[in-house]
Every structure is written in structure tokens, then in C-alpha cells.
Amino acid sequence: MRFHKPLIICVLALACACRKPATVSSPDGFIGVAFALSEAGEPSYTVTVDGASFLEKSALGLDADNVNLSGGFKIKKISRSTADVTWTQPWGENKVNRDRHNAMTVSLEGENGVRMDIEFRVFDDGLGFRYCVSASADTLILRGERTQFCFAGDGESWSIPGDFNSYEHLYRRMPLSDVKDANTPITVKFSESLYASVHEAAIYDYPEMVIKHLNGTAFEASLAPLTRKADTPCASLGGSFASPWRTIQITRSAVGLVNSPLILNLNEPCKIDDVSWIRPMKYIGVWWSMHLGIESWGGDKYHGATTEAALHYIDFASENNIQGVLFEGWNDAWRGSEALPDFDFTKAAPDFDIEKVLSYAREKGIAFISHNETGGNFTRFEGQISDDMDWLEANGIHALKTGYAGSGLYGGIPRHSQTGVRHFQKVVEKAAEKHIMIDAHETIKASGIRRTWPNFMTRECGRGMEYNGWSAGNPPSHHEILPYTRLLGGPMDYTPGVFDVEYRSIAGKPQVRDWGRPGTECRVNTTLCKQIANWVVLYSPLQMACDLLENYNEHPAFQFFRDFDADCDASEALQGEVGEWIAVVRRCGNRYFYGATTDESAREITQPLDFLKEGVTYDAVIYADAMDASWESNPYAYTITRQTVSKDDTLTFHLATSGGVAVSFIPAP
């Protein structure tokens, strides 16, 4: 048999070209990505930073029943594009964001006509990639991913365990190579000038991802299963689908991660036409007294959400420039059952006059924030969701807190599974139809969908304030880890603001619920001023002052919350280190609010005020730890001082152990 020599050369050249890496880099050249196919048609990628290896060869692909999505591919086309646009959102850390990236899409053709596009977007502060699959099958059963993150070197990491039911864990600080599994965001410091965080963006109709250790500093994506049973698949998908973006933020400083808009940029634009009803606000409520064990959610004489209490909280909000009150436990649902009985989410407890409370809230101009606790029984909630949302809309209620307390979703379904993702998205979309904002607890991780559905205001998805009420609490460094990890995904309803950090005000009050208090260890592990600063540092567009009202009454330091505005226009993390300290400023109109907090170590920080507007003089009110303050021995010692400052000035602050400083900058008359 004779072969035509030029044809052989052309075929070989095409085969070599298909295996030659296809590359794309960030607009500033800082980050480079290379895609390649092996001889077996298996996709992989590598990443360089400043020309040095950052991710070594890392596999790509998916595992599905009866369809090969991990190998046997050929490159059909490679397309590239660039973008440099600004876009706005109705609320956020920054209302104006810049999306500047270079993109590359590798179109692959596999066996039996399967097509898979792997899309890369590379920004100056990181990259994202996702899979877009098209197959002839009506349904694809997904078993997992082959996606790897094979780091070229070790580093110091901060993460929580890879749990498919809860994010309410303390963060672990350890070498990256010692991490066995981790939920995302997982943040790593490789050097004094190189930080990174692995996460995901735009999670829709797809299970959540954790990363599991392979060897050395190599990790592989692991997806939440549909159920807790052995050998359960991860998802049932249509023949055509797009995965969430797998993201790696890469910056030269720790605060660079905090300031990155990468997660938001990888989400679609807003799908709600009229967003005028979506409004950030400050709020208060009876929630904290329940976690202290001095009041109950209902069913007994210690019920916290009574008509009398509601009217009192509405009055306090009206008198203190607070826009909303959360009425947690107002439903006739609790009655002492740990399992939570079947209940109507629109029916009030016998001692809560819903009509009177709603009327009084309207009269005072205070938002009624409703509360629906499902106990994880999402099917019961879905059965009532239309009636519930109709009732909320009819009564002028535009904010709803949802809860899914327990070990998972009803029927042994992991919270972070595809079923959970679908449920939480259904709630958000139904709420959007009725002009209702959502604050979700025990839900799925934040992945930037607030850009697309801005009525999803905030969520818990982390170990919040309540752990201080009935355990040894959150350690001092917790608040200096959250901004660099959990909050990279989006806002957190941490519910800060406890002024009575040692619970002196509840002495002698009956403990109506035993939360397993460990005696004298039970307290908030910060100074008073750190609690004030956390209103700025721990971002949420629905920001709570959670303490008992008696601890705020006539307290001079509560003036900061009265002045504070939850609706900021721009934000910047100014300086700090992961797990050690952080300083943040937020601009709200012509005013600025500054907060800085530290871990167990006291420190002095010098802060240039170059973030202030040129040519404007400001009255700075400084709420600071006293020189003898200490979170352990003297947490209440603070000072309030006033200075006239401008953009050219610099301030120096003393932060006590687990302390903080908060400053309001208001233009001078």
C-alpha cells in the first residue's frame, strides 16, 4: 500500500497542533493559562504567575454514566475574546465594578458526537473556567469531576472541612499539603507577595464542590451526592448543561483577595427588571435572647416574639435610625417540638397579634422581617411557598429570613446537593416575583448569584455569632479569617454587635433552654470595640445589631450604629493579613465608615486617610479600645474621641487583644 507523503505530513501536523498547548493570559500578563490534550484526548491545564509555575499539569473533565466526558476528545476550534467593561448593581460592597479579562474557549468533540466547550476567563486577579456540555442523551447522570488543582508549591492555608451539610466549622490554619479535604473558599498564602483562593461561581442546578487531597499539594474536585446512600450519583442533568465556574483568585496581597470582583464578574447580569424595592438596611430582633437561653422561639411563657416585645423593638428601631426588625419565632410553629411540627408559615403564635404589629410597623416606617424556619423540611416549605409569598406580598412584607436547622435536608438529602441548590434557587426566584428579599441561614454557599438575583441579600453559610451564646464561642482570630475566606463568596449574616460580651445583663434571669453552656467559658471573645468594628468589617447589606436592647439603651458607643449606613457605594480593604488583622473602609454617599480588627495580638496600626475625598474636611468620631483594654480581662474599656481630618492626614490606632477600632467620617458643616 502506498501513502501520499504530503497527506501524511498534514495529518501529523494537525495531530501535533491539537496537542500543542493553547494559551491565554491576563490583560496585565501577570497570570498565564495553558490548555492541552494528551494523546488519549484527555484535557488538562497549567497556570503560571509572573512567569513561574503556579499550577502544574492538572486534569480536566467530568465523570458521567454512559458518556465519556474525560477523554477521547479532539480540538475542533479555539476561540478568543477580550472584555473591559464596567457594570453596576443595586447594592454591594461596590456598586460599580470593572470586568476586564481575556477569554479562551476550547471546543472539543468526543465520542458519539459529544461536544464539550471548556471556557477560560483570565483576569488580572485570577481565573475561572467551566464546562459546557452537549450530548445526544436527554439526561446525563453525573458521577463527579476530574477537575484538579495541582499547586506547584506548598503554602499556609485557611479552610474548613469538606462537609456537604454545613459550613459552621472553625477554620483550620495548616500547610496546604496537610489539608485532606476542604470546602471552598480555601485561601492560601504562598509568599509575602502571592495569595490565592479556590472557590466556585454561579452555582445553578449543579451540586456544590469541595476539594480533596490527592498527593503533595495536588487536589481534586469532589461533588455533593444526591443522597447520603453509598454509590449515589451527584446530579441528573439535561443533555446540554453548563457547570459552575471553578475559580482561582490570585493576588499580590491578602487584601487583594478581598477587593477582587472576580466571583461577581463570572455571574450573569441582573435578571430582575425593577430593583427599586431591593434596599439594604440595618435591623434588630429578639434572636440573640433565644441563643442566650433566656427566651424561647415559642410554645411557652418564655416566648420571645410577643406582641409587646415586637412593639418595643419597633419603637427602638424608629428612635435609633434602624430600618427593620426581625421577628424570629413569630409563627405558631414551635410548641416545644425539636422536630418542628407541620405548620402554616403565615399563622401567628397566640401571643403575637400579627395585624397589630404590622399596622404599627407601617405607622413607624419600620420593615417587618418575617421568619420561616423549615427544620430542613424543604418539601413542606415548597408545598406552601406560593401561599407564603402571596401572603408576604399582600401584607407589605419585603424581607424574609429562612432557616434549615438540623443535620441536613428532609429525606437524608445533603444541603449542598443538586436538590438543595435547586430548592434554594426556587425560593429566591419565587421571592423575586413578589418583591421579597431573602436572608438565608443553613443554605448553600455564596457564589455570586446576588449579581443575577440581587434579592438574595445575604446568607449565613459559616460559623456565626450564635456559637458564642452556648459554647466556648468563636476564637479571636475567627473575625480576621472570615473576610479572606468565607466572605470572598459574598455577604454573611454574621449578626455582630454584642455589647455585653460577658453576659452580665442576663445574670439572675431564668435559663429556659439548656444549650450545653460550658460555665464561665461562655462569652464573646472580643472587646466591645471589635464588636462595633465588625459592623464594617463583616459585610452584609442586611446588617444586624444583635444584642439585647437594654445593652444599647443610652450607651454612647451605640451612636456608631445609628450613624452607620448598610447601603454602601464603594468599599476597600486597606491593609491586613489573613487570620491576623484587617482594615476596611466603606463609602456611603458622602460619608465613610472605617473598621479595623485584630486577633489575639494587640497591635498599633497607622492608617493614611487618602481614601477620603479631595478638598473635604471631615469630623472623625473614633471608637477605640482603651490602652488598658483586653478581650480577656478588660473588654469594655473604650474611648470616643473626635478629630477634624482630611485626605492628607494619617491616624494611628491602638487595637487591644481581639480588639478593634471604628471610625465614622462625616463631612464637616
Side-chain angles (χ1 to χ4, degrees), residues 438-475:
I438 295 294
D439 169 8
H441 281 229
E442 298 93 24
T443 183
I444 59 171
K445 70 176 73 168
S447 65
I449 68 168
R450 59 189 167 117
R451 177 184 179 186
T452 313
W453 299 96
N455 65 313
F456 205 152
M457 305 291 286
T458 189
R459 65 186 84 195
E460 187 182 34
C461 292
R463 187 171 158 120
M465 177 64 78
E466 69 271 20
Y467 279 83
N468 297 291
W470 33 259
S471 75
N474 299 327

Side-chain angles (χ1 to χ4, degrees), residues 295-497:
E295 290 184 315
S296 72
W297 274 269
D300 55 35
K301 65 180 180 179
Y302 300 107
H303 185 208
T306 64
T307 303
E308 180 182 8
L311 301 182
H312 176 51
Y313 272 77
I314 290 170
D315 281 338
F316 186 90
S318 177
E319 295 163 3
N320 289 277
N321 192 31
I322 296 167
Q323 294 80 43
V325 179
L326 168 65
F327 297 95
E328 183 149 345
W330 75 270
N331 316 85
D332 183 28
W334 304 90
R335 292 191 291 273
S337 170
E338 292 300 324
L340 293 182
D342 289 338
F343 62 87
D344 183 341
F345 291 104
T346 65
K347 183 180 179 182
D351 56 356
F352 192 88
D353 188 335
I354 184 65
E355 296 299 332
K356 183 175 183 178
V357 173
L358 282 171
S359 176
Y360 196 64
R362 284 192 290 268
E363 177 187 330
K364 293 289 188 176
I366 299 301
F368 182 110
I369 304 175
S370 189
H371 176 231
N372 290 352
E373 174 55 64
T374 70
N377 196 330
F378 72 103
T379 56
R380 179 176 62 204
F381 189 31
E382 288 189 2
Q384 298 185 41
I385 193 168
S386 292
D387 291 342
D388 184 33
M389 297 294 178
D390 287 345
W391 181 87
L392 292 170
E393 180 188 39
N395 284 280
I397 300 172
H398 297 290
L400 170 65
K401 176 181 176 179
T402 60
Y404 298 82
S407 59
L409 297 180
Y410 178 76
I413 296 173
R415 278 199 194 91
H416 309 159
S417 64
Q418 182 190 36
T419 303
V421 171
R422 285 174 169 171
H423 167 74
F424 295 118
Q425 187 59 31
K426 180 177 181 178
V427 172
V428 170
E429 293 189 24
K430 291 291 289 186
E433 293 174 10
K434 302 298 181 180
H435 290 188
I436 295 165
M437 300 178 290
I438 295 294
D439 169 8
H441 281 229
E442 298 93 24
T443 183
I444 59 171
K445 70 176 73 168
S447 65
I449 68 168
R450 59 189 167 117
R451 177 184 179 186
T452 313
W453 299 96
N455 65 313
F456 205 152
M457 305 291 286
T458 189
R459 65 186 84 195
E460 187 182 34
C461 292
R463 187 171 158 120
M465 177 64 78
E466 69 271 20
Y467 279 83
N468 297 291
W470 33 259
S471 75
N474 299 327
S477 62
H478 189 61
H479 316 95
E480 288 68 54
I481 296 174
L482 288 173
Y484 302 101
T485 52
R486 158 66 185 84
L487 273 83
L488 296 182
M492 180 180 182
D493 190 27
Y494 184 85
T495 61

